[in-house]
Amino acid sequence: MNDRELDRLIARANPFGDDSVRHLPTDSAESELLEEILTTTEPATRLRPSRRRRIALGAAAAVAVAAAIAVVGAVLPKDSPVAPFVAPQSAYGAEVRAVAEANERILIDDPAWKISRVDEFTKESGAMTLANGDKTFEITWYPAKDYKSYYDDRFQGTAGHSEVEVLGQKGTLFRYANDGFDFAFMLPSKGPSFVETRADLGSEEAYRAILGKLKKVDVDTWLAAMPEEVVKPEKVRAAVDQMLKEVTVPKGFNAAPLYQETVIARYHLGARVTSAASCAWLDQWSAATKSGDKAKAAEAVKAMQGSKSWKILHDMNAEGDTPEMIWLLADEIAGKVKPEAKSGKPADGYQEALGCR
């Protein structure tokens, strides 16, 4: 069994588990821009496995990890009365800043380490990966209320631990016995979240060296360091519409929930769109199968088989397993593969696997 197959099985079995707003001294145009905010949805949380595994699920499950921070650039208009005296500066939506302010804003004080991946952020959870060549360093924010549960999970699943001071605060370093040089470090909660870092850098010495380079930064520095591929809140609608041009949806499909302007990575936005479409088709197939409506059931099977040509799923496939989960469900209802669910029924548990609402 390979990693992707194991990821799918895990997903099917258990998918869930104030720097204030800067007021620009300008006219209504700037005020309106500052009032554009994203809607923060608190995600369901689940314990991360003791061994490092990244499970890529559908839209609702994806927000458990995760998601992405968007940067909204703005400068004073040329006709602003203060423009000649004020240098251009960055401005971020109020809720974007609120999310950044609520989290411990951490980067590695080394230009060789850059943010390579960002998952969806809320005021108490999120995740990102920094990379330096083929080396990666994960930083994850979890709800403060879950600190003891995560600590106990790490304590029971590791070979040893020790107290280490990082960022002027004492935390716990955990060593994993069977994962080579895999280490995790947890800092007790500050505010609504706590931080865990994780990496396999070849040795404990190398891991501790990076811990020593961690630095706290201000909101603007942290947001500006985010990768360009993040979908900005004001561009979510356009991105969703483009994806929907490539995705087949049933008649009466409601796209409104897809336009929620969260801070989100393109992969997770794609998962949001394709999972919603797949859920709609699987809902139709399930209802039609129960009622004996063969035409409706056949329409759903054909549409799900067509998902194998959706461009967005192929774009996403190298990064996670949402595409293969959708294609597996498509083949199950078409009778092309044996159902993976314990019940032996095709697509059983698809609502949880794809995060259907």
Side-chain angles (χ1 to χ4, degrees):
M1 178 180 293
N2 60 36
D3 283 351
R4 289 195 169 191
E5 291 171 338
L6 181 58
D7 282 341
R8 289 200 299 270
L9 290 175
I10 294 173
R12 294 291 292 273
N14 182 22
F16 287 151
D18 261 318
D19 185 29
S20 61
V21 180
R22 179 180 300 142
H23 294 285
L24 296 177
T26 56
D27 297 325
S28 60
E30 292 95 314
S31 298
E32 292 175 3
L33 178 59
L34 281 173
E35 291 172 0
E36 290 182 2
I37 62 173
L38 60 92
T39 300
T40 300
T41 302
E42 302 299 334
T45 59
R46 57 179 174 80
L47 285 182
R48 187 179 182 182
S50 294
R51 303 288 181 89
R52 178 171 55 191
R53 298 201 57 78
R54 179 173 289 122
I55 303 171
L57 306 176
V63 301
V65 282
I69 294 293
V71 178
V72 183
V75 297
L76 297 178
K78 294 180 180 179
D79 59 355
S80 169
V82 297
F85 309 102
V86 181
Q89 54 185 323
S90 296
Y92 304 101
E95 284 298 314
V96 175
R97 296 186 68 88
V99 168
E101 290 158 3
N103 289 280
E104 290 277 0
R105 299 174 301 279
I106 300 173
L107 295 175
I108 298 176
D109 193 11
D110 184 337
W113 287 89
K114 301 182 184 300
I115 300 174
S116 62
R117 175 189 174 98
V118 181
D119 295 332
E120 191 169 10
F121 269 83
T122 72
K123 292 182 180 180
E124 62 175 22
S125 65
M128 70 182 188
T129 300
L130 294 97
N132 178 4
D134 60 353
K135 298 178 181 178
T136 59
F137 189 89
E138 299 177 3
I139 304 178
T140 306
W141 291 256
Y142 296 107
K145 61 182 176 61
D146 295 332
Y147 178 81
K148 186 178 185 304
S149 295
Y150 279 89
Y151 184 94
D152 291 345
D153 176 72
R154 305 300 186 260
F155 184 85
Q156 296 171 10
T158 56
H161 67 282
S162 59
E163 189 176 86
V164 179
E165 184 170 326
V166 175
L167 298 172
Q169 185 180 356
K170 291 182 179 180
T172 307
L173 174 67
F174 295 96
R175 305 171 185 83
Y176 287 82
N178 300 317
D179 285 341
F181 299 102
D182 194 8
F183 298 90
F185 175 75
M186 292 178 62
L187 276 175
S189 61
K190 271 195 172 183
S193 64
F194 72 90
V195 175
E196 178 181 56
T197 70
R198 198 156 185 177
D200 183 347
L201 301 177
S203 69
E204 181 174 345
E205 181 181 8
Y207 183 73
R208 284 175 175 260
I210 296 302
L211 289 180
K213 291 183 178 182
L214 295 182
K215 65 176 181 178
K216 295 181 181 180
V217 298
D218 59 34
V219 171
D220 290 345
T221 300
W222 197 59
L223 293 175
M226 297 298 165
E228 293 182 358
E229 60 267 24
V230 168
V231 180
K232 300 178 181 180
E234 74 275 15
K235 294 185 178 181
V236 166
R237 176 177 287 272
V240 168
D241 287 342
Q242 180 59 45
M243 293 177 186
L244 286 175
K245 290 180 181 179
E246 308 161 1
V247 174
T248 305
V249 296
K251 185 177 180 180
F253 178 78
N254 179 20
L258 304 179
Y259 296 131
Q260 182 182 6
E261 293 185 348
T262 53
V263 287
I264 192 167
R266 181 174 173 79
Y267 176 91
H268 294 307
L269 185 60
R272 180 194 292 180
V273 172
T274 57
S275 293
S278 299
C279 288
W281 284 119
L282 290 167
D283 286 345
Q284 177 176 312
W285 176 84
S286 180
T289 300
K290 291 179 180 178
S291 67
D293 190 334
K294 295 182 179 180
K296 283 287 188 181
E299 181 187 28
V301 169
K302 181 179 180 180
M304 286 298 291
Q305 285 293 303
S307 68
K308 296 176 182 179
S309 65
W310 294 352
K311 181 179 181 300
I312 182 59
L313 288 181
H314 288 280
D315 291 344
M316 295 162 56
N317 199 30
E319 186 174 349
D321 285 343
T322 294
E324 292 196 9
M325 175 61 73
I326 290 174
W327 296 332
L328 175 64
L329 292 168
D331 284 345
E332 285 189 10
I333 65 173
K336 292 184 176 183
V337 298
K338 183 180 179 180
E340 290 191 355
K342 292 182 179 180
S343 66
K345 298 179 181 179
D348 193 20
Y350 73 87
Q351 297 95 337
E352 293 79 18
L354 296 180
C356 301
R357 298 180 179 181

